[in-house]
Every structure is written in C-alpha cells, then in structure tokens.
C-alpha cells in the first residue's frame, strides 16, 4: 500500500522528513516539540518543520477525513478553529503492519489548553473568563451553522486577548455543518457543554487546581445565560414605533461593541408605517479586528484590537490629531508608539498576537504606575519598567519618548 497525503498546501518536508512508518507514539527526533496539549483519547504530537509547527493526531480514516473537511469548511466560514493541513493514509511499518492514518493541523500559536493554564496557577476569575470565551466561540459556530456535538474546555484552545481570552475549536470529530441550526441542535450543544464543563471543573478541583469552595453549578448555569443573551442580541427581533428609528443605529452600535458587524439587517414596517421590526440577518464577527487591520495592517485578536484602537484614539486626542486623516494618524501611532514599544520585547514574543498582548500589559502597567505616581506616566517609561519588573528581561531597543 502506498503512503498517500491529501493536503491543502502541502509542505514537502511533511512527506519526506517524518517517520510515517512508525506509530506516532514512538516518534523521536529533533523535529519533535514538547508543547503542552490537552487530555485526549487519540495520540497527538507536535513537530517542527522549518518555521512551522504542526499537530499530528493518529486516528481512524473516516474520522481523519471527516475532521479535515469540517475544519476546512470552518476556515472558509472564518470560524475560530485550528487550521487543517492534511490527512496521511496508507501507513505501514517496515514489516508490513498497517498503522492508523494521521490528521495534520497547524499548531495554533500562542495558545494553551485550559489545564495547562490551571497547572501554572491562575487568577480566581480565570474560569469565568474562559467560560465567556467558550460562549463566544459556541455562538460564532452556531451562527455559522456548525453543530459541535462535544463542546468542552478540553476541545478548545485559548489565547490571551487583552485581559480576556479568545477560544478556538480544536476537536471537530463530532461536528456537523448545516445551513442553519434548529433550536434542538443548539440545545443539544448546550447540554453537552454543561455536562462536560461540570466534569472538567470537578476534575480541576480533584487535582487541586481549583478552589473546592467554588461551586461549579452557577458557573455552568452562567454559560447558558451568557449564550442566550448574546444569541438574542445577535439574532433577535426588535419591535418599535417609527418615531424611534434611532433604535436601528443603537442596535448596530451594540453589535459593534460586542465585536460584530451587521452585514444585513432586515427592516419591516407595517402598512401605515407606524411600527417597525428589525432583525439582524447576517452578522460578521471581528469588527475591531477589521478596523484595526484596515488602519494599521495589524491582524490581532478581537479584544486586543479593541484595546489598541482605544490607545490610538487616546494618542490622536493627546496630539490633537482628531481631525486628521485616520490612516495617517494610525501610521504615526504605529511607527512612533506601537512598533518601538513592542520591539523592546524578546524576539520570540514579537508575533502580532504576542506583541499586542504585551502592549496591552504595558498599558495596564502604565495605568498602575500612573496611579501610584499621581500623574500620567509616559508609555515608554512604563514599557521599560514592565520589561524589567514583570518579564524580567532588559528592554532590547529604547524608542524615543512620546
Ligand atoms: N492544531 C493544534 N494546535 C494546538 N494544539 C493542538 C492542535 N491539535 C491538537 N492539539 C492538542 O491536542 C489535544 C487533543 O486533540 P483532540 O481534542 O483533537 O484529540 P481527541 O483525541 O480527538 O480528543 P477526544 O478525546 O475529545 O476525542 C488538544 O486538546 C490540544 O491540546
Ligand atoms: Mg478532544
């Protein structure tokens, strides 16, 4: 049987450099990278080829292909999920024994499984923030017509995003894509999410990672409440009289605040024009990300983008640039503030997402220093202090004072 690789954009070294004739569990070599991974039934390993890191999961053929196709569909729909690379089938040992196929995905950079976070010690409010991120993920998947079937913290990866978290789906094995989801399908996902989350919290408590006094039930119930609130804001019908048409703009602004753009809004007025009914039909996540990207080219997490846009606004106000062309102001801010500050970071912390997170932490640090000093502290001064005291590294490059 021949080794066969189905891949979107095949990296030749994937075919030539990896020991596909050896069961994944026995892989050794300099290409292996010991990154943290969550609990799973299948064997998962990480490998580095050139500058890319991949996750390799050994599984049965229908599962590998099913997951690969679904992850491709999710990518097309711009849903937050790991990026599929390919499926390797036809594996055999040198003595001719068949070995299970592998699904290869791109390792999601700057991400962590939730258990890893807890084992490093986390702040008390981390769990509700992880649950919040999970709610946003589930809502976005449902909007895209994706039924997950096994929503859990273990099947999710988390990235820090300016004091919050951004969640990505990592395990699509039980998923199905539909044009729209029924209420029953969504309810099924809520039930599995609640059950899984409850079990995961008991497990954290048993492992001593979570305070035993903390009651899992309100956190689990909170998941559904938050989901319902977000879902109804994103999809719900609103009725009002036509002299309250400003409510259309308010609804759009509320959705923008939640990080969504309205691509299509259905507005129906009755015959005598006295009442109106609106309902968002197509909403597109990533409102702040898109705005920041169009102004600066930076592609970062939604909440990070919101934070950077706030700093950009503050910069414009402090320098009396509010009436200037936004793209020019953004360029000045990027080259005079953001880039010089984030270039002080060690080279392995300079990916856009890492840089944005560091910038956010520096802003927090500046706030703290300013409060202590009783006056506004300069961003560069705060940055130097942050690198030395918080990251315990010498800032690499010191930019000009703001
Ligand atoms: N692309 C990736 N980037 C980062 N981590 C990954 C990636 N793919 C897998 N992992 C890690 O491997 C773990 C297991 O993956 P996954 O959940 O797909 O396995 P599974 O055996 O199908 O799980 P289950 O037991 O739920 O069926 C994940 O929790 C994650 O930590
Ligand atoms: Mg899993």
């Amino acid at each position: 049987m021949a080794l066969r690789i189905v891949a979107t954009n095949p990296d030749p070294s994937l075919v030539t450099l990896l020991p596909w004739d050896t069961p994944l569990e026995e892989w050794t070599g300099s290409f292996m990278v010991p990154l943290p991974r969550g609990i799973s039934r299948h064997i998962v390993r990480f490998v580095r080829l050139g500058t890319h890191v991949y996750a390799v999961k050994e599984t049965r053929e229908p599962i590998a292909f099913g997951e690969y196709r679904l992850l491709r569909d999710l990518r097309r729909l711009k849903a937050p999920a790991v990026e599929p690379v390919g499926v390797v089938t036809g594996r055999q040992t040198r003595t001719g024994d068949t070995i299970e196929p592998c699904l290869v995905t791109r390792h999601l950079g700057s991400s962590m499984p939730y258990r890893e976070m807890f084992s490093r010690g986390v702040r008390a409010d981390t769990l509700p923030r992880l649950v919040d991120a999970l709610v946003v993920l589930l809502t976005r998947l449902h909007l895209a017509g994706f039924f997950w079937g096994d929503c859990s913290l273990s099947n999710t990866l988390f990235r820090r995003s300016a004091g919050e978290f951004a969640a990505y789906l990592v395990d699509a094995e039980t998923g199905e894509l539909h044009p729209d989801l029924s209420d029953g399908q969504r309810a099924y996902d809520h039930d599995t999410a609640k059950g899984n989350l409850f079990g995961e919290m008991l497990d954290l408590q048993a492992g001593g990672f979570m305070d035993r006094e903390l009651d899992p039930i309100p956190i689990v119930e909170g998941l559904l409440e938050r989901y319902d609130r977000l879902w109804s804001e994103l999809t719900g019908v609103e009725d009002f009289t036509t002299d309250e048409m400003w409510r259309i703009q308010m609804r759009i602004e509320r959705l923008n605040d939640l990080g969504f753009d309205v691509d299509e809004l259905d507005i129906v007025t009755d015959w005598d024009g006295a009442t109106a009914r609106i309902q968002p039909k197509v909403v597109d996540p990533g409102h702040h990300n898109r705005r920041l990207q169009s102004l600066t080219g930076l592609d970062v997490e939604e909440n990070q983008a919101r934070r950077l846009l706030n700093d950009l606004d503050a910069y414009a106000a402090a320098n009396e640039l509010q009436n200037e062309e936004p793209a020019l102001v953004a360029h000045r801010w990027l080259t005079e503030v953001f880039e010089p500050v984030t270039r002080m970071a060690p080279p392995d912390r300079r990916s856009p997402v890492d840089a944005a997170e560091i910038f956010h932490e520096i802003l927090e640090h500046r706030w703290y220093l300013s409060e202590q000093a009783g006056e506004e502290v300069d961003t560069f001064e705060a940055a130097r202090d942050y690198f030395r005291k918080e990251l315990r590294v010498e800032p690499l490059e010191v930019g000009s004072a703001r």
Side-chain angles (χ1 to χ4, degrees):
M1 196 163 44
L3 190 72
R4 179 170 164 230
I5 303 194
V6 173
T8 17
N9 187 5
D11 178 344
S13 50
L14 210 60
V15 187
T16 53
L17 291 184
L18 296 178
W20 295 113
D21 59 359
T22 307
L24 189 54
E25 204 169 11
E26 295 165 21
W27 283 18
T28 51
S30 56
F31 54 84
M32 300 292 284
V33 261
L35 287 164
R37 51 174 191 264
I39 309 158
S40 66
R41 280 170 298 153
H42 299 102
I43 295 169
V44 176
R45 295 287 181 267
F46 302 113
V47 297
R48 184 190 300 280
L49 297 172
T51 53
H52 295 309
V53 179
Y54 299 99
V56 184
K57 167 158 108 173
E58 209 167 64
T59 180
R60 284 185 293 126
E61 184 162 335
I63 298 180
F65 277 111
E67 232 184 309
Y68 172 69
R69 301 237 153 80
L70 269 178
L71 289 175
R72 282 195 67 179
D73 288 338
L74 287 175
R75 206 90 213 136
R76 189 170 42 74
L77 295 165
K78 299 203 182 78
V82 295
E83 184 184 339
V85 173
V87 175
V88 182
T89 54
R91 297 174 64 208
Q92 268 186 349
T93 61
R94 290 197 188 136
T95 52
D97 292 333
T98 306
I99 321 178
E100 281 195 328
C102 283
L103 168 72
V104 183
T105 52
R106 186 69 80 80
H107 176 260
L108 183 71
S110 314
S111 73
M112 264 198 280
Y114 81 102
R115 253 186 157 275
E116 171 74 11
M117 258 177 233
F118 280 87
S119 63
R120 287 188 190 181
V122 288
R123 284 172 24 197
D125 62 348
T126 297
L127 192 65
R129 289 184 302 141
L130 291 182
V131 173
D132 268 343
L134 192 62
V135 166
V136 174
L137 172 64
L138 188 61
T139 314
R140 284 183 62 176
L141 293 171
H142 283 178
L143 281 171
F146 183 83
F147 164 75
W148 194 342
D150 197 12
C151 171
S152 67
L153 292 173
S154 306
N155 286 335
T156 308
L157 289 169
F158 295 93
R159 257 184 187 169
R160 292 186 187 281
S161 175
E164 303 292 324
F165 291 99
Y168 287 76
L169 171 140
V170 66
D171 187 347
E173 185 180 330
T174 47
E176 292 166 19
L177 199 61
H178 299 273
D180 281 303
L181 292 188
S182 67
D183 289 347
Q185 282 167 317
R186 293 191 302 113
Y188 185 93
D189 260 352
H190 301 151
D191 288 344
T192 46
K194 280 164 62 176
N196 285 335
L197 195 62
F198 191 74
E200 286 166 334
M201 282 191 281
L202 293 187
D203 182 50
L204 283 173
Q205 286 183 331
F209 298 128
M210 195 176 119
D211 189 352
R212 277 180 187 274
E213 301 293 300
L214 204 64
D215 183 0
I217 293 172
I219 299 177
V220 169
E221 295 302 330
L223 177 129
L224 197 54
E225 269 167 43
R226 290 197 183 98
Y227 174 96
D228 280 339
R229 237 182 295 137
L230 185 56
W231 185 259
S232 62
E233 191 64 79
L234 291 172
T235 65
V237 172
E238 205 175 327
D239 288 305
F240 43 84
T241 58
T242 40
D243 49 15
E244 292 177 301
M245 289 305 259
W246 45 268
R247 286 179 56 170
I248 297 179
Q249 194 52 36
M250 279 195 49
R251 179 74 178 263
I252 293 174
E253 282 169 17
R254 284 206 307 275
L255 287 167
N256 288 167
D257 280 346
L258 288 168
F260 290 81
D261 279 319
V262 182
D263 273 354
E264 205 176 297
L265 185 71
D266 201 18
I267 307 174
V268 183
T269 55
D270 59 3
W271 280 113
D272 59 9
T275 60
R277 157 171 291 206
I278 57 169
Q279 184 177 27
K281 282 291 176 199
V282 186
V283 288
D284 200 5
H287 169 73
H288 299 96
N289 164 286
R290 260 190 304 282
R291 217 186 121 221
L292 183 73
Q293 208 173 354
S294 73
L295 286 170
T296 63
L298 290 171
D299 183 9
V300 300
E301 289 296 338
E302 177 64 13
N303 215 42
Q304 293 175 334
R306 183 198 306 263
R307 184 76 156 128
L308 299 194
L309 286 167
N310 281 342
D311 194 60
L312 172 58
D313 284 345
Y315 171 84
N319 293 284
E320 294 181 9
L321 297 168
Q322 294 103 319
N323 299 326
E324 293 291 325
E325 179 65 36
L328 290 181
V329 182
H331 182 73
R332 261 185 73 175
W333 170 83
L334 187 71
T335 51
E336 289 180 10
V337 183
F338 184 78
E339 287 178 346
V341 163
T342 52
R343 270 204 303 264
M344 292 182 193
D348 65 338
R349 301 288 306 274
R350 293 205 197 142
S351 74
V353 169
D354 280 347
E357 196 58 21
I358 284 186
F359 194 78
H360 154 75
E361 283 172 11
I362 290 169
L363 294 181
E364 296 280 287
H365 193 65
R366 186 185 65 181
W367 181 84
Y368 164 78
L369 291 180
S370 304
E371 205 188 40
Q372 272 193 333
E375 60 181 15
E376 190 72 10
V377 170
D378 170 76
T379 304
F380 286 89
E381 198 182 312
R384 282 178 218 118
D385 195 65
Y386 166 83
F387 284 111
R388 290 189 185 118
K389 294 210 184 109
E390 301 291 327
L391 290 194
R392 295 181 193 283
V393 292
E394 200 43 35
L396 282 184
E397 214 170 298
V398 181
S400 58
R402 185 162 151 188

